[in-house]
Amino acid sequence: MNFNQTIFSSATLLVSIPLSRREIYNVCMDQPMKIISDGIWNHPNGSSPTQSAYTMLQIQMVIIFAITQAFHFILKQFGFPYFVSQVMAGFLLGPTIPTGPFEKYKKMLFPFGSADILNTVSSLGFSFFLFITSVQMDLSLITKTGKKAWVMALSSYFVSIAIGFSVMNLLSSQLEQINDDYDSFSSLPMVIVTQGGVSFAVVSTLLNDLGILNSELGRLALSTAFVNDLTGGIAAGFGADYVKSVQLGFPILVTNVVAFFVYLICIPLIGRPAMKWIVKNTPEGKPVSKIYIYSIIVSFLGLGFFAGYFNQPFLVGAIILGLAVPEGPPLGSELVSQLELFCSWFLTSIFVTCCTMKVDLKACVPLSFFVVVFLFILLAQLIKILLCMGICRYCKMPYSDGFCLALILSSKGVVDVCSYVLMFDSMAQNKQVIGVLIVSVLVLGTTSKIGVKALYDPSRKYAGYQKRNIMSLKQNHELRIVACIQKAYQVIHMKNVLQLCSPCPENTLVADILHLMELVGRSTPIFIAHRLQQKVGSSYNYSGELIVTFDLFERDYAGSATANTYTAISPMALMHEDVCHLALDKNAAIIILPFHLKWGGDGSIELEDSNIRSFNSRVLERAPCSIGILVSRGPAGFSAANYKVAMVFLGGADDREALCLAKRFTKNLGNRLFVYRLVAYDRDMSNWEDMIDDEELREVRGAYGKLENVAYEEHTIEDASQTTVFIKDIANKFDFIVVGRRYGMRSSQTYGLENWTEYSELGVIGDLLASPDMETRASILVVQQQSTAAS
């Protein structure tokens, strides 16, 4: 070894202790230590970067990151989770995968002494990762979790361990015959214990990757994983105290166990009220003061250091203090936004690779040893799967859902890889066992993701075998609406739509108003029914203004309208699941969604939110009922008792659905409805769709046509230009305009306009009315009828 190419000036091996995996060196280092390279221009023969600690650290980080991304680029095509790429990068840079002539470059990349610096920096990032994960946990899940999740979590942990130990004791004589060195199987108890638990962070990440975090299965899996992880963590803490202190004498053992118990209880008892005081003293809508953020980080580091006094790892302080932080805004979300990118996505990724660089799979010999340990791992996982499926079946869950839940609770990931290697570093496991455990993590983590993705489809329950639309409702039957709100300015516009529906004793309205918020600073999605006065762990006030507004609306229409308010907090990509689930549960006839554009007072576009547009598209694809997209071009805060409404009818299912909704507006005699039918000059009178249209319009021309507040006009249209002229002519004469989406339908009235459509979710006519070039102050409601499974 050429020590001129390392951060040390010399290093002498004094003693090697193979059994404890220790090598003791006598090293000399120049002082002050060289941190930054002088560069190739400031040295007679060029400066070597390996002599500069910081320069070497930067090169190592960049190379590890590049190799990880290269693996992920290939493996993601086959559905492998991201942590597999991190592990494979570690295998490539470590001794597991020989690289032949490139071995010398490995030694140049990781010269003697540099790995310690890299491990120290990345392990600090992993500590912050665990802290952030704990911050995102909802501690109130302990009280909210149902019996099913509790039974599943505790049985999968304790029963699998108990059966594993029983089998190990029964086969002890056979194990001796398989391997003369029975001591190599002395780590089997630790292997069995590690298979009983499941990491909440791993399950949360898996569910998020699969897009089922806020599905029924996802919520059950999160609750079960939380209880299991909490139980396993407490048991591991006391177990670590016992293993490390039992040889030091009984008094020290008792002292350490009592100290850990006090540590475990006091941090939440003192920390939680302190955190709530910070939240209380933070003005609503303002970020938490930086001094509080820094104080929490310093406390986290101090508590981790203090844990070492009673034989607990540094990571314990991070986990317990993180659980004491109220999840969600403003404090939890601020901590996550400050720390997540660099600590979770960069340093933790490097730490996983550094951990697996210590593993040598070639050392997992003989083959009989590898097979025996792996069979015990499979046994523990099989017991967990059978237990989960049995409990799910007892609770009348489908077999496929029970199996998917079992796969989720058997998943392994980043936390498990790092935990196993940390056990190896503390000499609690030998190199052969760690190699088998890492392989098991790769197998279980991959099969869980691929298996659940193939077997579980949360959207199948939304298949439209039952009619849930306005056309199928009997006359004077109550209208059930799910109204979605994401921004404060949408509240008044959504209230106007409900008011336009003309609630009265003969035309009752049930509105379920859902306030959608993005999941930030927590890992567990929330669904709050405010009428039931449900509480969440955080003291943050959710949807206060919205609740007051629709409570007043219900009071104004007492006996005719019911307004139920809800808050759903979930990832932006999964919000549609909450909407569709609520619509299905409440048997809604229509979902009203806000459009993604906000207009200013002068008619110009003031705000565009692409997230809302993506959300609307996902709901349009999966909704179990009809959908209306509300384009609010009227003045902000505009509200009236009576409205002048136009309904433009071209034909088709969507237009018929829009017409049925528009007819309900006329129950309030103060509202005036104008129905305009645009008839194609070349229409085929024998066409079945046209015949259905005529039948639907007969009532408008007949009974409704006799009403003073309903008018009907029919116009023959020869081409799309006439349609455009007509729309421009009526655009500024009404408060509301109702149209059908007619997506995918082609007719002579709109032929050619489809190619110029900017907002496909609105259809051709809706897109014309929502165009910035259209001079109108009317609000537009674009209706799509429920897509049934038969169609």
Side-chain angles (χ1 to χ4, degrees):
M1 183 185 298
N2 182 5
F3 288 99
N4 291 325
Q5 300 298 315
T6 71
I7 58 175
F8 301 109
S9 57
S10 68
T12 307
L13 177 63
L14 297 180
V15 62
S16 176
I17 312 173
L19 291 177
S20 62
R21 304 194 305 271
R22 292 181 183 272
E23 289 180 342
I24 302 174
Y25 286 84
N26 181 23
V27 297
C28 295
M29 180 186 294
D30 294 332
Q31 294 294 332
M33 182 181 178
K34 199 172 210 177
I35 304 297
I36 301 174
S37 172
D38 294 329
I40 59 174
W41 310 113
N42 297 327
H43 194 277
N45 300 316
S47 179
S48 173
T50 56
Q51 295 178 318
S52 308
Y54 183 61
T55 306
M56 205 63 235
L57 178 66
Q58 289 177 310
I59 294 172
Q60 290 167 346
M61 284 182 167
V62 169
I63 299 256
I64 289 173
F65 184 77
I67 293 176
T68 302
Q69 295 306 312
F71 270 113
H72 184 57
F73 179 77
I74 299 170
L75 295 178
K76 72 178 180 181
Q77 313 297 331
F78 303 98
F80 285 86
Y82 183 59
F83 85 91
V84 174
S85 303
Q86 299 167 352
V87 172
M88 292 305 297
F91 285 162
L92 182 64
L93 294 172
T96 297
I97 301 178
T99 53
F102 295 99
E103 284 293 323
K104 62 179 181 180
Y105 295 108
K106 280 189 190 178
K107 294 179 180 178
M108 289 174 60
L109 181 61
F110 298 99
F112 182 81
S114 67
D116 296 329
I117 299 173
L118 181 63
N119 282 328
T120 302
V121 173
S122 57
S123 61
L124 185 62
F126 181 64
S127 303
F128 276 106
F129 166 74
L130 291 180
F131 174 67
I132 293 169
T133 301
S134 301
V135 167
Q136 293 175 306
M137 289 185 184
D138 184 2
L139 201 57
S140 63
L141 271 179
I142 297 175
T143 57
K144 295 177 185 175
T145 300
K147 293 180 181 178
K148 181 164 51 176
W150 272 97
V151 171
M152 211 175 306
L154 297 179
S155 61
S156 63
Y157 184 78
F158 291 109
V159 175
S160 61
I161 292 174
I163 295 177
F165 272 98
S166 301
V167 172
M168 183 185 68
N169 291 328
L170 287 173
L171 299 178
S172 58
S173 58
Q174 285 84 352
L175 292 176
E176 289 179 1
Q177 295 174 4
I178 291 173
N179 197 331
D180 295 335
D181 183 15
Y182 181 66
D183 287 339
S184 61
F185 290 116
S186 60
S187 296
L188 274 180
M190 190 73 76
V191 171
I192 294 169
V193 170
T194 58
Q195 298 308 305
V198 60
S199 169
F200 180 87
V202 170
V203 170
S204 177
T205 303
L206 173 64
L207 294 174
N208 199 33
D209 290 345
L210 293 171
I212 58 173
L213 187 65
N214 58 347
S215 65
E216 291 177 281
L217 186 71
R219 293 176 191 274
L220 179 58
L222 281 176
S223 299
T224 307
F226 181 78
V227 175
N228 185 294
D229 198 12
L230 203 61
T231 304
I234 294 172
F238 285 110
D241 259 340
Y242 177 82
V243 170
K244 293 181 179 179
S245 306
V246 68
Q247 296 179 348
L248 302 176
F250 185 74
I252 295 178
L253 172 62
V254 173
T255 301
N256 286 343
V257 170
V258 171
F260 176 63
F261 181 78
V262 172
Y263 186 84
L264 188 66
I265 298 298
C266 287
I267 292 177
L269 284 180
I270 298 171
R272 191 77 169 182
M275 303 292 181
K276 288 187 174 181
W277 181 86
I278 293 173
V279 172
K280 186 178 179 181
N281 284 272
T282 300
E284 190 170 347
K286 300 289 184 181
V288 178
S289 173
K290 294 293 183 185
I291 189 67
Y292 295 138
I293 301 296
Y294 299 150
S295 300
I296 292 171
I297 293 174
V298 170
S299 301
F300 144 64
L301 296 172
L303 288 169
F305 177 76
F306 179 67
Y309 284 102
F310 45 91
N311 285 333
Q312 288 295 328
F314 181 86
L315 304 175
V316 168
I319 296 170
I320 299 177
L321 182 64
L323 288 171
V325 178
E327 74 290 343
L331 185 55
S333 57
E334 184 68 18
L335 284 167
V336 171
S337 64
Q338 294 285 339
L339 301 173
E340 186 174 33
L341 179 62
F342 187 65
C343 296
S344 297
W345 291 104
F346 187 68
L347 290 182
T348 301
S349 177
I350 292 172
F351 184 66
V352 175
T353 302
C354 290
C355 286
T356 48
M357 283 169 61
K358 302 175 184 178
V359 177
D360 186 3
L361 294 184
K362 298 194 301 296
C364 298
V365 290
L367 182 61
S368 58
F369 172 81
F370 182 95
V371 171
V372 168
V373 175
F374 203 82
L375 285 175
F376 270 94
I377 293 172
L378 290 180
L379 172 67
Q381 296 301 329
L382 182 62
I383 293 167
K384 286 176 66 175
I385 289 173
L386 292 176
L387 278 169
C388 289
M389 291 186 66
I391 295 169
C392 289
R393 192 57 195 159
Y394 178 79
C395 298
K396 304 294 189 296
M397 281 181 65
Y399 281 115
S400 60
D401 288 3
F403 183 62
C404 288
L405 180 61
L407 285 178
I408 292 170
L409 296 178
S410 298
S411 63
K412 299 292 180 183
V414 169
V415 176
D416 303 284
V417 171
C418 297
S419 300
Y420 295 156
V421 177
L422 288 174
M423 283 193 294
F424 170 73
D425 288 342
S426 63
M427 294 180 292
Q429 295 279 22
N430 60 47
K431 185 176 289 189
Q432 291 90 339
V433 170
I434 293 299
V436 182
L437 286 172
I438 297 298
V439 171
S440 72
V441 170
L442 293 175
V443 173
L444 292 171
T446 303
T447 54
S448 297
K449 182 177 180 181
I450 295 175
V452 175
K453 189 173 183 179
L455 295 173
Y456 185 69
D457 179 14
S459 66
R460 69 174 183 263
K461 62 186 175 185
Y462 305 134
Y465 298 109
Q466 178 183 346
K467 288 184 178 179
R468 298 186 186 89
N469 53 52
I470 301 171
M471 278 190 68
S472 64
L473 298 179
K474 295 179 181 178
Q475 191 171 12
N476 297 330
H477 190 279
E478 72 176 11
L479 176 62
R480 290 182 169 270
I481 294 177
V482 171
C484 301
I485 294 171
Q486 296 193 40
K487 307 290 183 182
Y489 66 85
Q490 298 165 354
V491 173
I492 188 65
H493 298 297
M494 203 62 71
K495 181 186 174 184
N496 290 344
V497 173
L498 299 183
Q499 189 173 326
L500 182 61
C501 290
S502 308
C504 63
E506 299 81 26
N507 185 43
T508 55
L509 173 69
V510 178
D512 295 295
I513 298 94
L514 182 59
H515 185 198
L516 295 160
M517 301 176 68
E518 186 175 4
L519 185 71
V520 179
R522 58 186 304 140
S523 54
T524 311
I526 298 178
F527 192 91
I528 308 168
H530 294 290
R531 187 173 287 272
L532 300 177
Q533 296 296 314
Q534 291 181 346
K535 294 183 178 180
V536 294
S538 172
S539 58
Y540 188 75
N541 181 26
Y542 294 102
S543 313
E545 182 184 343
L546 180 141
I547 296 168
V548 172
T549 300
F550 289 100
D551 280 350
L552 291 173
F553 170 80
E554 183 177 353
R555 190 179 305 172
D556 292 340
Y557 292 93
S560 303
T562 303
N564 304 308
T565 50
Y566 305 88
T567 298
I569 306 173
S570 55
M572 185 63 71
L574 305 178
M575 279 183 181
H576 61 281
E577 289 289 341
D578 290 316
V579 177
C580 296
H581 180 75
L582 182 63
L584 188 69
D585 184 56
K586 299 299 179 181
N587 200 26
I590 189 170
I591 299 169
I592 307 293
L593 305 172
F595 194 49
H596 68 280
L597 296 182
K598 179 187 178 184
W599 273 266
D602 58 352
S604 61
I605 295 175
E606 187 177 288
L607 178 67
E608 183 173 358
D609 193 327
S610 59
N611 288 327
I612 294 180
R613 186 177 189 185
S614 300
F615 159 77
N616 288 347
S617 298
R618 288 190 290 269
V619 176
L620 284 167
E621 291 172 2
R622 294 194 176 193
C625 60
S626 297
I627 303 168
I629 296 181
L630 177 63
V631 184
S632 306
R633 298 196 63 169
F638 170 77
S639 183
N642 303 314
Y643 296 93
K644 192 176 179 183
V645 184
M647 196 278 139
V648 181
F649 190 98
L650 278 75
D654 292 349
D655 278 8
R656 294 192 290 270
E657 184 78 0
L659 179 63
C660 288
L661 179 61
K663 286 191 292 188
R664 285 185 170 261
F665 299 163
T666 62
K667 299 294 183 180
N668 177 2
L669 296 178
N671 293 336
R672 299 191 64 193
L673 174 63
F674 293 79
V675 179
Y676 297 103
R677 186 182 188 187
L678 306 186
V679 182
Y681 75 97
D682 58 348
R683 76 165 176 155
D684 182 5
M685 298 295 292
S686 62
N687 183 277
W688 180 251
E689 283 290 321
D690 279 348
M691 294 170 66
I692 298 175
D693 292 340
D694 287 334
E695 185 64 29
E696 193 64 36
L697 286 164
R698 181 179 299 175
E699 191 177 18
V700 176
R701 293 193 295 262
Y704 278 86
K706 295 176 182 178
L707 299 175
E708 292 183 359
N709 64 335
V710 179
Y712 174 80
E713 293 182 15
E714 197 167 290
H715 299 266
T716 302
I717 301 295
E718 294 187 4
D719 55 31
S721 62
Q722 287 190 2
T723 302
T724 305
V725 171
F726 176 80
I727 295 298
K728 285 185 177 180
D729 183 54
I730 68 167
N732 221 15
K733 296 179 180 179
F734 298 94
D735 303 316
F736 265 86
I737 301 176
V738 185
V739 299
R741 186 187 180 204
R742 304 180 78 247
Y743 182 70
M745 291 186 64
R746 291 185 175 272
S747 61
S748 58
Q749 302 104 306
T750 59
Y751 184 76
L753 291 178
E754 297 91 347
N755 301 327
W756 298 92
T757 300
E758 185 176 358
Y759 308 117
S760 59
E761 63 269 33
L762 300 181
V764 175
I765 305 298
D767 181 74
L768 270 176
L769 289 165
S771 171
D773 300 328
M774 183 68 67
E775 294 183 5
T776 181
R777 304 305 298 275
S779 291
I780 302 112
L781 187 61
V782 180
V783 178
Q784 173 183 285
Q785 192 181 58
Q786 174 199 16
S787 300
T788 58
S791 61

